[in-house]
Structure formats: structure tokens, C-alpha cells
Amino acid sequence: MQLVIRNLAGRQVHAALTILTLAIAVAATILLFGAAWGFADASTASLEGRGVDIVVTRSGVVERANSSLRADQAHILSKLPGVAAVDGTLQETVSLKTKGIADHPHLLLGQDPRGFTLQSLQIQAGQTLAAEDRGCVLIGVGLAESLAEKLNESIEIEGRKFRIAGIFLSENPVETNLLIAPLADLQELMDRLGQVTQFEVQVDKSHANADVIRALCQQIEALRDDADQSLGLQALPVREFVGSGTRNRLATAMAWGTTSIAMVLASLGILNTLLVSVQERTREIGVLRALGWPRTRVLRMILLESFALGLLAIVSGAVLAVFTAVIISRFPAIREITGPLITWQALLCGAVPAAVAILLGGFYPAWHAASIPATEALRYE
């Protein structure tokens, strides 16, 4: 081990550059997977925390924001055995104007004030929406902070003024930066009377389990109208609904793609560093072989050097990822789209591909060093 440390210390520039390259790759991987999974976990926790078990949308719609369902279909869903409650939600992207200044588009949800999802919302200040409320909105704490809005102030949405009735908290970072209005108000505002984007279904908790929820999803998708035509519904448990969303799938695909490219480059960096090291130490390796070192011992020595470089890179990459996450999480634009960036799953996704890159990058130089005949190595200048 002392020989390994001495060899790395004697080539500090090459070793440092290799460690830096792999550490950046590890940090990028951790942050990308952390962002993708942090959003999914926060969204799932938020929906489940409000009692939602199943989400129903229009079947075949690629972008769920474009899903359109008849609001009165909630009565059909509520009659199914095992269904405790059904809420309809209308989702729209709207433009805001506060204090006379136009702001970038924001997500606005329309929900029934009497529904279970809205009643379970955690209100930080003010009050939730009542059944008789019109022209009022709830605003997420993140959006309230970024817009410097307060209770009972007016906010202009698509040219119409609404009063801020309450400010709410949520585990979902996206939800802390959106608005919620009475369903009837949003339907009227966006000319979508009698329509919703999705239904949130709460299953009777007395016998709810994964099998019951899955069976209920199949029943919902099999529903037909009086003309024996399919209602065209897609029903998914909350975790599957969040995981199969376009944003989450794109984020995960980007994370895997970036990881693959970064780890290939890191593997090539390790291979190059160790090959140069082996070439520079050919005569030294010949002396070790002449002193009785078997090929396996030379092989282990080079692989240990690869392992040492990789271990330092993985630890440095994890520290760099944590430091970067702390910094970028302070920006509101980042908080709007993701939850906690650092999770143990993300750390594993950074460490495991890096370990594979270390093995791939270190094997050939180690094999090459062990294959050099002692007589040729001693003649090497």
C-alpha cells in the first residue's frame, strides 16, 4: 500500500486531474438523479398526505395538462365499491400581474372547496376556501415569498382580480409555487365549464391495500357509458402516476444519458493516467518482477492505484454535490421544480457507475503492466 501511495504522490498532477474529472462526473450524476427523484418523492408524499390513492386522467393523452374530463363523471367514480371520495381538479397555466407588474406564467389549480384534497391542505396564514367563496385564491408559500404578496391583497389573473384568502404549505416544491382557486371560478375564467383535468380518488381506508387499489384502477379503466362506449379513463396509483409523468421521465432519462457519457469519459481518464504511469515505471516494474514479484501482485498494485484514485474521486464528488446542492437550492427557480437534491439513492447512483468506471479504466493498464516480461522491462529506457 505504501508503494501505491508513493506512486500516486509522485504523479500529483495526473492524479489530481483524474480525480477532478471523475469527481465532477459523480457530483453531476448525484445532482441529476437527486433532482429527478426528489421531485417525484415530494409529489408522491404531497398527494398521499392529502389522502389521494388514485389519480384518473384521460387515456392516451401524452401531456397530462391537456387531459380533459367531464366533471360530472365524478359521480360515476364515487359509486364504485371501495371509493370513499372523489375530487375533480382543473389545471391551467395562467399569467399573473401583481402590483401592476406582469409576472411569468404560473400553474393555477381549480378545486372544489368542499373536496377532501383542499380541506386537507396545510394553511400557514389566512384560511382555506369556503364553499361560498368566489374571486378568492390560495397561494403557495414559495410564490408568496417571491412575489412579496400578503393576505387579502389583490392579484390579477388573466385580467381578473382575485383576493388572496390564504397561504399554504406543501411537501411538493411545485405546489408551493402555484395558486388554487375555486373550481367554478377557474372553469369560468378559462371557458372550460363542466370540465376538469383529472380526478383524485380516495379509497376506503378500512380495506385499502395495493391489491385493492390496483383492482379499483382496472375497474375505473373498464367503465363504459350508456351507449356501451368506453369512458376513455386512465387510472393509476399515486406513485405510478407521478413516476410516469412526462417531466419525471425526461429528467430520469437525461440523468441516465448524462451519467453514461460522464462515466465513459471518466473511465478513459483513468485508463490514460494509469497507462502513462505504467509506461513511466516500466523499468521499475521489471525490477520488481526480477525480485520475485508474481504477475498477480503487479496486477493488484495497479488496480489498487485505480481504486485509490476512484475512492478519492467518489468522496470528493459526493462532497461537491452536497456543497452545490446547498447553493443552488437557495434559488427560487430551483425550489419550484424539485425537492431535496441529495438522497442516499442518488448517492448510490453516483458511486456505483463511478466504481464500474474505475474497474474498466484500471483493468487494461493493470493487465498490461503484469504482462511485461521482466527482461524487456529491465532493458527499457
Side-chain angles (χ1 to χ4, degrees):
M1 193 64 188
Q2 291 180 348
L3 188 58
V4 171
I5 296 174
R6 192 201 67 177
N7 290 336
L8 292 178
R11 296 162 180 82
Q12 294 180 8
V13 175
H14 281 161
L17 289 176
T18 302
I19 291 171
L20 179 62
T21 301
L22 186 53
I24 292 174
V26 170
T29 299
I30 292 172
L31 290 171
L32 286 170
F33 278 106
W37 293 343
F39 169 77
D41 289 344
S43 299
T44 301
S46 176
L47 286 170
E48 290 179 343
R50 285 189 280 150
V52 180
D53 297 299
I54 298 172
V55 181
V56 181
T57 57
R58 173 66 61 191
S59 177
V61 175
V62 177
E63 181 55 54
R64 286 169 177 163
N66 297 327
S67 170
S68 182
L69 301 170
R70 285 169 36 203
D72 58 5
Q73 289 177 334
H75 298 292
I76 300 175
L77 298 178
S78 63
K79 294 178 180 178
L80 292 175
V83 173
V86 179
D87 267 356
T89 296
L90 181 60
Q91 177 179 315
E92 291 285 352
T93 301
V94 297
S95 60
L96 304 183
K97 184 180 289 186
T98 60
K99 301 179 176 66
I101 302 175
D103 192 37
H104 62 279
H106 286 278
L107 191 62
L108 174 60
L109 301 183
Q111 295 184 327
D112 187 346
R114 298 164 296 183
F116 71 92
T117 54
L118 193 54
Q119 291 299 322
S120 59
L121 203 62
Q122 185 179 354
I123 302 298
Q124 183 192 54
Q127 59 187 19
T128 189
L129 298 176
E132 66 277 5
D133 282 342
R134 299 297 297 270
C136 299
V137 294
L138 301 177
I139 184 171
V141 63
L143 184 58
E145 291 175 358
S146 63
L147 298 179
E149 290 294 334
K150 299 179 181 179
L151 285 175
N152 297 316
E153 290 186 343
S154 293
I155 186 169
E156 188 174 318
I157 304 175
E158 296 291 333
R160 177 177 168 183
K161 288 191 176 183
F162 288 80
R163 180 180 63 85
I164 299 175
I167 299 174
F168 66 88
L169 300 171
S170 175
E171 296 182 41
N172 186 337
V174 174
E175 288 187 354
T176 63
N177 291 277
L178 56 74
L179 306 99
I180 300 177
L183 178 59
D185 276 353
L186 185 55
Q187 288 174 331
E188 181 182 329
L189 181 69
M190 305 305 294
D191 195 24
R192 295 188 62 179
L193 297 179
Q195 298 180 32
V196 294
T197 305
Q198 64 190 42
F199 293 111
E200 289 91 15
V201 178
Q202 186 179 63
V203 178
D204 186 352
K205 301 302 180 185
S206 62
H207 56 272
N209 56 56
D211 292 335
V212 171
I213 291 174
R214 174 60 61 188
L216 188 54
C217 288
Q218 294 174 353
Q219 291 182 50
I220 292 172
E221 293 180 349
L223 287 173
R224 309 182 77 83
D225 60 19
D226 295 336
D228 200 32
Q229 297 294 317
S230 173
L231 294 184
L233 304 179
Q234 181 185 54
L236 293 172
V238 167
R239 187 164 292 277
E240 288 186 30
F241 172 78
V242 174
S244 61
T246 302
R247 176 183 292 185
N248 190 68
R249 288 188 288 110
L250 283 175
T252 303
M254 288 178 61
W256 279 116
T258 304
T259 297
S260 301
I261 296 171
M263 292 308 167
V264 167
L265 295 176
S267 183
L268 292 175
I270 292 174
L271 185 147
N272 178 69
T273 297
L274 293 178
L275 275 179
V276 170
S277 174
V278 169
Q279 185 178 10
E280 292 176 350
R281 294 155 50 203
T282 300
R283 187 176 180 83
E284 176 187 330
I285 292 172
V287 172
L288 293 174
R289 292 293 309 280
L291 290 174
W293 277 40
R295 290 184 175 182
T296 54
R297 190 171 180 183
V298 175
L299 184 75
R300 287 200 304 270
M301 180 183 70
I302 304 301
L303 286 177
L304 276 174
E305 291 182 20
S306 174
F307 176 77
L309 286 173
L311 182 61
L312 288 172
I314 290 172
V315 173
S316 301
V319 172
L320 178 61
V322 172
F323 180 73
T324 305
V326 171
I327 293 176
I328 65 177
S329 62
R330 298 178 183 273
F331 293 93
I334 299 297
R335 292 200 303 266
E336 287 184 17
I337 60 174
T338 187
L341 293 172
I342 306 298
T343 63
W344 68 267
Q345 296 99 324
L347 290 172
L348 281 178
C349 280
V352 172
V356 174
I358 292 164
L359 290 175
L360 293 177
F363 179 77
Y364 176 73
W367 174 83
H368 176 68
S371 301
I372 301 174
T375 52
E376 291 184 17
L378 288 172
R379 291 197 299 266
Y380 183 83
E381 296 294 337

